[in-house]
Amino acid sequence: MGSEGSCSPLIDEDLEWEKVGLMRAFVEDKDPQAKEADNFMIRRFLRARDLDIDKASTMFLKYLKWKREFVPNGFISDAEVKNELAERKFFAQGFDRKGHPLGVAIAAKFNAKHGMDEHKRFVVSILDTLCSRTSRDQEKAMIIVDLKGWGYSNCNVRAYLAAIDILQSYYPERLHKAFLIHVPYLFMKVWKIMYPFIDKKMKNKFVFVDDKNLEEALLEEIDESQLPEIYGGKMSLIPIGAN
């Protein structure tokens, strides 16, 4: 693999896989469920902690505990997030030019009005959907976060922070980039509140795009055949749970 998804521009793959083996032995001794994780998952946790086995193991063991408690069946069913699905607030289709699966989130609707529990489960279902479309060669996804129509009335900082926490704590090294578009001035005040809670490795993945450069910026990363029509492409939006 190249530098994509790495913890540094130059990857020592032999060192990575050596540490994967060491970490696997440690976490399997602490939690037998770790045996179900493949080496690529363990490597993602290692990369998220700059190949520090102790820190990565702590993070991974926390993930296993969370998974058992929050997703005991191993997946989130549509019935568990039926209210969130009905709002048609997240769309998953297409790929960017580098093969990252693409998702579109309508930020103004992510306000947890159906309760924080269902909101969190919906975030997990979104991430599982995106991850299911990744490959060994491309483990990350790209998300367009559309803030059109966003205002104080649909702002829920707790809901946004919960989504970010799930992403960075339990799905490390799964986000390639998040384009924030149609960003209102008011949102920047909320962003300043949220920013300190975002992991340092995540912060540079969020890219704010000016409306005047929107189509150009998106088409630079996403072919028009894969870009939704509402952003100048040729693909219709497909809400998750539609099939």
Side-chain angles (χ1 to χ4, degrees), residues 39 66 100 106 133 142 163 174 200 232:
N39 286 337
W66 167 83
H100 303 106
I106 307 303
R133 300 174 63 231
M142 176 182 283
R174 282 301 203 175
K200 64 179 182 178

Side-chain angles (χ1 to χ4, degrees), residues 23-70:
M23 177 172 159
R24 173 175 289 284
F26 178 79
V27 295
E28 286 184 359
D29 182 62
K30 297 292 183 180
D31 189 333
Q33 190 177 350
K35 293 182 173 68
E36 299 176 13
D38 63 29
N39 286 337
F40 292 91
M41 173 179 281
I42 291 177
R43 185 175 67 169
R44 288 193 295 273
F45 278 83
L46 271 168
R47 287 178 169 180
R49 292 296 178 264
D50 296 321
L51 303 187
D52 185 309
I53 293 176
D54 289 338
K55 291 180 179 179
S57 295
T58 297
M59 184 185 189
F60 183 68
L61 291 170
K62 179 183 176 183
Y63 158 77
L64 292 179
K65 183 176 184 293
W66 167 83
K67 188 78 171 180
R68 280 193 296 270
E69 295 174 351
F70 195 74

Side-chain angles (χ1 to χ4, degrees), residues 79-233:
E80 294 177 271
V81 291
K82 62 181 180 180
N83 297 309
E84 298 282 327
L85 286 173
E87 293 190 340
R88 298 166 69 90
K89 65 178 81 176
F90 192 86
F91 307 84
Q93 78 286 310
F95 296 83
D96 73 4
R97 295 183 185 276
K98 294 183 179 179
H100 303 106
L102 177 65
V104 178
I106 307 303
K109 295 184 177 182
F110 280 81
N111 49 26
K113 72 178 184 180
H114 303 296
M116 283 295 290
D117 187 64
E118 184 169 348
H119 166 73
K120 291 178 181 179
R121 292 186 186 282
F122 187 59
V123 171
V124 172
S125 72
I126 286 172
L127 294 173
D128 285 346
T129 297
L130 291 174
C131 290
S132 72
R133 300 174 63 231
T134 60
S135 65
R136 291 291 188 225
D137 294 328
Q138 201 58 272
E139 298 181 291
K140 299 183 180 183
M142 176 182 283
I143 301 175
I144 297 173
V145 182
D146 193 336
L147 286 138
K148 187 175 184 179
W150 187 95
Y152 277 136
S153 63
N154 40 44
C155 168
N156 186 330
V157 175
R158 285 183 62 241
Y160 300 151
L161 287 177
I164 289 174
D165 180 61
I166 290 171
L167 174 60
Q168 64 188 20
S169 297
Y170 308 124
Y171 292 82
E173 295 296 300
R174 282 301 203 175
L175 178 65
H176 167 60
K177 189 179 295 184
F179 279 118
L180 281 73
I181 68 173
H182 300 315
V183 182
Y185 173 75
L186 291 176
F187 179 78
M188 298 311 300
K189 293 185 177 181
V190 174
W191 182 252
K192 289 181 180 179
I193 296 172
M194 296 167 54
Y195 194 74
F197 296 95
I198 302 175
D199 186 279
K200 64 179 182 178
K201 294 179 75 69
M202 286 278 291
K203 287 177 177 176
N204 63 0
K205 298 177 184 292
F206 292 93
V207 180
F208 289 83
V209 183
D210 291 335
D211 284 352
K212 62 182 180 180
N213 300 321
L214 178 58
E215 188 171 327
E216 179 184 358
L218 294 179
L219 286 173
E220 183 177 341
E221 302 257 0
I222 309 163
D223 186 81
E224 64 177 357
S225 67
Q226 303 294 298
L227 186 67
E229 294 172 332
I230 60 172
Y231 305 128

